[in-house]
Amino acid sequence: MKSKIFFADARVKSYDYKYSLVAKFEQILKMVDFGSFIEKGDYVAIKTHFGSYGAHRIVRPIFLRKVVERVKEAGGMPFVTDTVRIPGLEYLEVANMEGINHLSVGAPVVLADGVFGRDQIKVKAGPILGEIGVASAIYYASAMIVVSHCKGHIGSGFGGAIKNLAMGCISCKDHHGKAERGRIHFYEGKHLEWVEVRCTRCGQCVRVCPHQALQLVDDSIVIDRSICVKCGRCARVCPSEAMVVPIDEVTFQKGLAESAYAVVSTFEKGRILYINFITEVQPECDCMPMADTPLVQDQGVLVSHDIVAIDQASLDLINGAEPLPGSKAADKNVKKGENILKAVTGKDAQLHIDAAYELGMGNKEYELIEVSEKDIPEDEKTQ
């Protein structure tokens, strides 16, 4: 049986609020039975990405507020959350800079793994990861709504709901201050490698590291492994591939699915809702210190209880769209119908979607239920 996904196109057909993406999103939220997965008094995590200095294409606060309002209508107690990426207090300042705060979204904005990124509960994952530290505020929440901005990603090729769970719901560090989320990026027990003969000493790796774990000292790159969180940003920006993250693509993608599976296992079945915004689909993750031009035109928003189906549908919509001129897709001469994200990122996102499917997390076959406008009650039309 195909999984049902509500879908609102980003295009509008009239100068009327009811056709706006905001209104269509409101309509979808009305059509979803929030009472089926939220009980009165439940703490409900609304997991999103806070962005980064230089990045600005995250899900806008107005959409987060609509989710918050709907949770409150169902009797839940929502909080908007993410896990530490840069140092905690700085990350909360980034969220505020991006417009995500209690005033704008209507709910507390908190770090799920605490200010120091160490608040976690170990959860069984799978043969690759063994176990992984789920952020405590996610672990203890009764229900969760995962609001994802769809874009490219340095490791997974695509950042959707699975990636949002697999990385965004895992603590930055363990209780001893060692990298926890970063374990997904690396073979177990391995660390970042600097290949001296390739290095041009340009310093990009040093500048991009948000934890100051890299320094250029006496013409050598010095890695402080005690504070490195294994995020892989340095390897992403190195033009000469002198910074190496030791892992192969298949292992990484399967580990990603394992981590997402671990997060889902901490919730009762059916108590997670997934929302994917296919808007401003840039080639990089929102944690990078920049945001490139979108690869394709905005497609819209998808809502489903099936994490595999919603990511599969999102990937299909992106790859089925026309690459935008002036984008990285155009730079690489990608044509409509080709695997846009794979061509741009060099990574095949289908691998982690297939891995999640094989773990029984959802269905790759789906049915889109299109919502073209908001139903406005007659008594409101005259106001």
Side-chain angles (χ1 to χ4, degrees), residues 125-165:
I128 295 172
L129 299 174
E131 59 180 12
I132 197 77
V134 177
S136 58
I138 300 294
Y139 181 93
Y140 289 114
S142 299
M144 180 164 63
I145 300 172
V146 182
V147 184
S148 305
H149 169 224
C150 294
K151 67 279 181 185
H153 187 266
I154 59 176
S156 60
F158 168 64
I162 295 172
K163 182 266 174 188
N164 199 350
L165 280 187

Side-chain angles (χ1 to χ4, degrees), residues 259-298:
S259 180
Y261 182 86
V263 175
V264 170
S265 74
T266 68
F267 291 86
E268 295 177 2
K269 187 176 181 179
R271 302 205 72 184
I272 306 177
L273 182 70
Y274 303 98
I275 301 173
N276 277 13
F277 280 87
I278 313 176
T279 53
E280 299 183 83
V281 185
Q282 67 145 338
E284 303 291 344
C285 179
D286 292 323
C287 64
M288 294 296 281
M290 42 70 73
D292 199 358
T293 53
L295 301 170
V296 298
Q297 190 54 270
D298 290 357

Side-chain angles (χ1 to χ4, degrees), residues 274-330:
Y274 303 98
I275 301 173
N276 277 13
F277 280 87
I278 313 176
T279 53
E280 299 183 83
V281 185
Q282 67 145 338
E284 303 291 344
C285 179
D286 292 323
C287 64
M288 294 296 281
M290 42 70 73
D292 199 358
T293 53
L295 301 170
V296 298
Q297 190 54 270
D298 290 357
Q299 300 299 298
V301 60
L302 299 168
V303 180
S304 177
H305 282 287
D306 188 324
I307 188 173
V308 175
I310 199 170
D311 269 8
Q312 185 66 66
S314 300
L315 197 61
D316 291 345
L317 283 168
I318 292 170
N319 287 334
E322 188 81 45
L324 286 175
S327 70
K328 198 168 184 178

Side-chain angles (χ1 to χ4, degrees), residues 54-341:
H56 57 277
R57 300 192 186 280
I58 60 172
V59 176
R60 284 173 170 74
I62 187 172
F63 294 108
L64 298 175
R65 188 178 186 92
K66 296 302 178 183
V67 177
V68 165
E69 291 170 350
R70 190 70 182 88
V71 171
K72 288 181 176 179
E73 288 176 6
M77 300 179 67
F79 61 95
V80 176
T81 192
D82 196 4
T83 48
V84 169
R85 298 172 189 276
I86 61 175
L89 293 181
E90 292 179 34
Y91 199 35
L92 288 175
E93 289 293 343
V94 165
N96 189 54
M97 175 189 72
E98 298 279 11
I100 300 176
N101 51 52
H102 199 152
L103 199 61
S104 65
V105 300
V109 177
V110 304
L111 293 169
D113 54 347
V115 172
F116 297 101
R118 298 186 183 191
D119 297 350
Q120 55 153 278
I121 309 296
K122 291 290 187 181
V123 176
K124 183 179 179 181
I128 295 172
L129 299 174
E131 59 180 12
I132 197 77
V134 177
S136 58
I138 300 294
Y139 181 93
Y140 289 114
S142 299
M144 180 164 63
I145 300 172
V146 182
V147 184
S148 305
H149 169 224
C150 294
K151 67 279 181 185
H153 187 266
I154 59 176
S156 60
F158 168 64
I162 295 172
K163 182 266 174 188
N164 199 350
L165 280 187
M167 292 190 169
C169 293
I170 302 302
S171 66
C172 181
K173 303 175 182 178
D174 65 14
H175 295 304
H176 303 289
K178 295 182 179 179
E180 184 66 24
R181 180 190 304 118
R183 288 178 49 226
I184 305 169
H185 280 286
F186 289 67
Y187 288 127
E188 194 65 33
K190 296 292 185 179
H191 214 290
L192 188 66
E193 299 173 2
W194 175 54
V195 184
E196 183 176 2
V197 294
R198 297 180 189 169
C199 185
T200 63
R201 280 70 171 176
C202 68
Q204 287 195 52
C205 60
V206 175
R207 291 191 294 272
V208 81
C209 179
H211 298 276
Q212 288 78 53
L214 301 178
Q215 298 294 330
L216 181 57
V217 180
D218 296 331
D219 210 36
S220 296
I221 297 295
V222 178
I223 305 169
D224 188 341
R225 289 178 169 80
S226 68
I227 59 176
C228 173
V229 299
K230 298 183 177 181
C231 66
R233 292 188 200 181
C234 54
R236 179 70 182 93
V237 304
C238 181
S240 58
E241 299 183 348
M243 304 304 296
V244 178
V245 171
I247 197 168
D248 65 273
E249 182 178 5
V250 172
T251 301
F252 172 79
Q253 301 268 17
K254 288 185 175 181
L256 199 72
E258 279 188 11
S259 180
Y261 182 86
V263 175
V264 170
S265 74
T266 68
F267 291 86
E268 295 177 2
K269 187 176 181 179
R271 302 205 72 184
I272 306 177
L273 182 70
Y274 303 98
I275 301 173
N276 277 13
F277 280 87
I278 313 176
T279 53
E280 299 183 83
V281 185
Q282 67 145 338
E284 303 291 344
C285 179
D286 292 323
C287 64
M288 294 296 281
M290 42 70 73
D292 199 358
T293 53
L295 301 170
V296 298
Q297 190 54 270
D298 290 357
Q299 300 299 298
V301 60
L302 299 168
V303 180
S304 177
H305 282 287
D306 188 324
I307 188 173
V308 175
I310 199 170
D311 269 8
Q312 185 66 66
S314 300
L315 197 61
D316 291 345
L317 283 168
I318 292 170
N319 287 334
E322 188 81 45
L324 286 175
S327 70
K328 198 168 184 178
D331 291 346
K332 292 183 176 293
N333 296 313
V334 185
K335 307 301 181 184
K336 182 177 180 180
E338 295 179 354
N339 192 327
I340 295 174
L341 290 176

Side-chain angles (χ1 to χ4, degrees), residues 16-21 23-24 372-376 381:
D16 190 318
Y17 175 78
K18 69 179 182 179
Y19 298 117
S20 70
L21 186 59
K24 289 186 283 190
S372 59
E373 63 184 86
K374 181 182 179 181
D375 293 333
I376 308 293
K381 292 180 179 179

Side-chain angles (χ1 to χ4, degrees), residues 41-61:
D42 279 350
Y43 275 38
V44 181
I46 299 175
K47 171 64 182 74
T48 193
H49 198 301
F50 291 166
S52 180
Y53 291 114
H56 57 277
R57 300 192 186 280
I58 60 172
V59 176
R60 284 173 170 74

